[in-house]
Amino acid sequence: MSIVESLVSSAAERIGTLLVEEVQFLAGVEGQVKSLQKELTWMQSYLTDIDADQEEGDERLQTHIRETRRLAFEAEDVIDKHILEATPAKKESFLRRYACFCRCLVQTHQIGTEIEAIKSSIHENSEMLKQYQGGRRSERKAQKRIPRSYPNSQDDLVVGLDEDIKRLVENLTTQKNQSNVLCIVGMGGSGKTTLARKLYKDERVKQHFQCQAWVSVSQEWNAEVILQEILRQTSGEKPSAGETWSIEELVEKLGKFLQNNLFLIVLDDVWKKEALEDMLPAFPTGKEGSKIIIATRNQEIVRFPNLHCDVHEPQRLNEDEAWSLFSKIAINSGNSPLVGSIEMLGKKMLRKCDGLPLAIISLGGVLSTKDTVEEWEKVSRAVSSKVMEGRGTHLYGSVKDMLALSYRDLPYDLKPCFLYLGLFREDCEIPTGMLIRMWVAEGLVPSQQLHEGETLEDLARQRLDELVQRCVVQVAERNYMGKAKAISVHDLMRDLCIKKAKEQDFLDIYDPMSSSTADESVPDGSAIPIQSRRTVIHSHRTTIVLPSESSHVRSLFIFGQDNLGIHKWHTGEDRAKMTLEPVYKNYKLIRVLNLVGIDTSDSTLPAQIGNLIHLRYLGIKSTNIGELPESIGNLRNLLTLDYRGIYGYHSYPIVPNVIWKMERLRHLYLPGDMASRRELNLDTVKHLQTLWAAAGGDWLLEEMPNLSQKVQKLHIGGISSIEQLEAVFRCPSIVSDHLHKLYADWLGQDIKLENMEQISGCERLYKLGLRGKIEDKSKPIRFSCNLKRVEFFFTGLESHGTLESLGKLSYLKILRLSRDSYMGTEWVCKAGEFPQLEQLGFLDLPNLEEWKVEKGAMPLLRKLSLWQCERLKRLPQGLKFIHTLHELEIRSMSESFYSRIWQAGEDFDVIQHIPVLKII
């Protein structure tokens, strides 16, 4: 069924929630509101069994579907408006409040009349929908989705490329090939990016080139941002806060660095030759053998003037290769017993994929959720139907047909989660934490499907995992827990997402750099048209003007210049500026407001923002807003407040002590260096899951004992006394079953953490970051047994026993010791210690002279970084026994240390087996 069923379900649930949470403002119409909710539930039940084929082929049904959408929206709006009007202003006089009460009596009668009219329309529409079900009605029951295994990375979804990779790696790494450019050319979905990524990550390639960079250019590119990213990846150089570099400066800096280095640069997803005209002049010849890889679907790129390149076109997969790729995805623990019965069906469907990897992956993603022969047969019929030939989807070609099938097969409650991805620009790496919080705020994750012990965020994570399993999205980065930290969407899948979002009136996208979404007729300084209830604006203007009549807006996203999945946040003339007056004056029912990388004209958040009582998500990240008004305490429905990364404000950001009024708040991200350290009451915020970058102060003494027991992520910075430090580490939330991420920092000669016993028993603590002195001389520290990531700064550890405790952690994957975190002169890693460690980093450990690694220690280590350990005499001989060690990075060590590891040095045999060496 279409997304409309999800919209109706969401409206019914929201109205049910309002009946509980806002009952005082629904007095007099409570019975009618309950009846309206019931009508919506009935209407949803008639939508359940109407399949997509019926909808696409019946214009009359499509009319009823559009009417259903309108009625669901209207039902929500009428109640939200009433609650808004019935909410008295806190500071009004008694006479004004009395007048408001009298006015509400009239409004109660009016809303009652409106509700009855909507109920009547819903009832009529339901009667019409009955005809498409033969008069029956169905109910969906909450169903827990069973997690399945699926490939952990895109690298697992590669077949048939071995010979190509071998030959192309040879061309890239030998002097025989005089061409310095490799063009990988092919249609969308043919595997260009996959092949380029395999070449880029190949160990022989990494070992050969001195520096590498990967950027996605896309249809709409910003040469300045791309060149800045290439410079960052190759040299590590980037502008400081508040600094900007012109194109000319970037070209000069990049040219100077690359000229003396053997480099490899990958330009992925190049659409137009104009992009090469913008960027290629910045790349000098470099050392002989430097290479550029260009992945494109445009044959004209190959004929670019003076581009002497080798051309490679990925070949389509043969039957065996196609089945190998397909079975990696489609065959799993749920359906593997049926392989004998479904193999013939699978191979029949694969013929429709024409050997194109993306089509095969999409089809496999659909079938990965099917556990019976009957389900496979149903998909097979769909693949063979006329719909798959383009009649219903208007998308042609095997790749786009399979993408359309994967969308059609999504459960009704997963479709809006997918369409939501259209918010983000092409080739953007989407941060999953923000995405999940926005899904929850939007009501896309229904609470009626929760099971005991789950949170809405858990359920949203399951939705995300299912999109990954179905191969609708790709995992771009995983965190220390193995969960998706960032995802990406193939550009063809994104095209489908945007097309469906427009068809369903789900999302308006304004992006002046995108030919598919921009309204080119809107001049700079004029109001941007907003027609949908959910709108995203990707700003490339100096001034953003919002229309004054868009009262229907429920979600508004405004993102500054964004490309490559990175943001160009800096103070300067080209940062977009706007006034928020239209928002608080005309968008009074708004639920989600997310501004990223935007400046307000007066560097403030207006006090009237507190009148937007339906706000559930307020994001003002990377803005110039230096002070929050006290009126934000009126936002009683707020679930997330994201106030990180404030730019261009020259004093401490100010957060008033009103957070305690937001009793439903779940996630609070603060700017860190706040002027609010004097007070921050949180004892009433019982649902708080995230408290991040809160500035220390005496408020900790009273508030930490009463902090929500549901806190999962806790970061307190700038702790300035022993009493404050002890209050944090004695906090009951630390030993709760929920806390899994803890960061704290305290600086000062007289402040030292004496006791860490409290966190040693916190079994769900997975990530620990401490910045400040810790006493371990008299008694070694014991750690939580399930820690996966540990980062220490300035801790001044002295005990060998503390290091042994770290070595005994069975699940530790990442350990970073920085800036005087260990003050001993010797460290011995014994056999059997650090059994799961994958990354180890030492930075500025001034006393460390001897480091020994016994055979059998750190058997899974993949990356080792040593920076500024100037007294360290040599690398441990035991490194030669760690066969998993893939990358060694060494910077700013002593001359004698370097002399031992060069090719003729005494310790060269320790590192000669390591594929990637970065010695600077």
Side-chain angles (χ1 to χ4, degrees), residues 153-166:
S153 70
Q154 297 168 358
D155 292 339
D156 295 327
L157 300 180
V158 177
V159 297
L161 293 180
D162 292 345
E163 290 301 316
D164 287 350
I165 292 170
K166 182 179 179 180

Side-chain angles (χ1 to χ4, degrees), residues 121-359:
S121 297
I122 291 175
H123 184 76
E124 290 178 14
N125 198 58
S126 296
E127 290 297 316
M128 299 302 297
L129 292 172
K130 272 186 189 181
Q131 299 175 21
Y132 295 89
Q133 291 189 311
R136 69 187 185 279
R137 54 184 292 266
S138 302
E139 293 185 9
R140 291 194 189 270
K141 295 181 179 179
Q143 189 173 355
K144 188 176 181 66
R145 289 183 166 92
I146 301 173
R148 302 169 186 265
S149 60
Y150 48 86
N152 288 323
S153 70
Q154 297 168 358
D155 292 339
D156 295 327
L157 300 180
V158 177
V159 297
L161 293 180
D162 292 345
E163 290 301 316
D164 287 350
I165 292 170
K166 182 179 179 180
R167 177 170 54 82
L168 293 173
V169 166
E170 181 74 15
N171 288 345
L172 289 171
T173 57
T174 62
Q175 302 297 330
K176 298 176 184 177
N177 184 14
Q178 298 301 311
S179 175
N180 67 338
V181 178
L182 169 63
C183 279
I184 303 175
V185 185
M187 65 178 290
S190 61
K192 301 181 299 298
T193 298
T194 300
L195 176 58
R197 186 185 297 111
K198 291 293 287 184
L199 295 175
Y200 184 78
K201 290 184 176 182
D202 189 276
E203 291 185 1
R204 293 161 292 178
V205 170
K206 283 189 172 185
Q207 194 169 15
H208 178 74
F209 292 100
Q210 293 173 297
C211 57
Q212 297 178 234
W214 175 293
V215 291
S216 293
V217 179
S218 307
Q219 297 184 64
E220 303 84 36
W221 69 94
N222 182 317
E224 184 179 346
V225 176
I226 291 173
L227 294 178
Q228 186 169 301
E229 178 64 6
I230 293 173
L231 181 62
R232 185 192 68 79
Q233 290 186 35
T234 53
S235 72
E237 189 176 3
K238 57 184 178 181
S240 57
E243 184 182 12
T244 60
W245 291 337
S246 66
I247 284 282
E248 292 75 20
E249 289 175 306
L250 285 166
V251 170
E252 181 183 354
K253 288 176 180 290
L254 193 56
K256 188 180 294 185
F257 179 81
L258 294 180
Q259 187 67 46
N260 300 313
N261 284 279
L262 187 65
F263 66 80
L264 171 66
I265 294 173
V266 178
L267 303 177
D268 185 37
D269 199 21
V270 178
W271 283 69
K272 300 175 183 177
K273 62 183 184 190
E274 289 81 2
L276 296 184
E277 291 172 357
D278 283 350
M279 286 176 286
L280 286 184
F283 307 145
T285 305
K287 283 188 177 180
E288 186 178 359
S290 293
K291 302 288 184 180
I292 297 171
I293 298 176
I294 299 172
T296 181
R297 64 183 68 180
N298 184 356
Q299 291 283 349
E300 286 189 13
I301 298 296
V302 178
R303 297 187 287 273
F304 188 80
N306 301 318
L307 186 68
H308 306 295
C309 64
D310 290 333
V311 179
H312 178 81
E313 295 188 34
Q315 299 300 303
R316 302 193 181 199
L317 302 183
N318 61 37
E319 284 190 18
D320 290 339
E321 292 167 341
W323 175 254
S324 175
L325 175 59
F326 172 80
S327 59
K328 282 185 178 184
I329 305 163
I331 310 299
N332 53 54
S333 58
N335 57 32
S336 56
L338 305 173
V339 170
S341 304
I342 60 180
E343 184 172 351
M344 187 177 297
L345 281 170
K347 290 184 174 179
K348 177 183 176 183
M349 288 183 273
L350 278 176
R351 296 189 194 107
K352 292 281 188 177
C353 295
D354 294 332
L356 292 167
L358 183 58

Side-chain angles (χ1 to χ4, degrees), residues 354-373:
D354 294 332
L356 292 167
L358 183 58
I360 295 167
I361 290 169
S362 297
L363 177 62
V366 171
L367 289 163
S368 69
T369 64
K370 312 304 179 191
D371 293 340
T372 66
V373 174

Side-chain angles (χ1 to χ4, degrees), residues 719 746-752 772-773:
I719 298 169
W746 59 98
L747 296 176
Q749 293 296 321
D750 301 326
I751 307 175
K752 183 179 286 191
K773 289 188 176 180

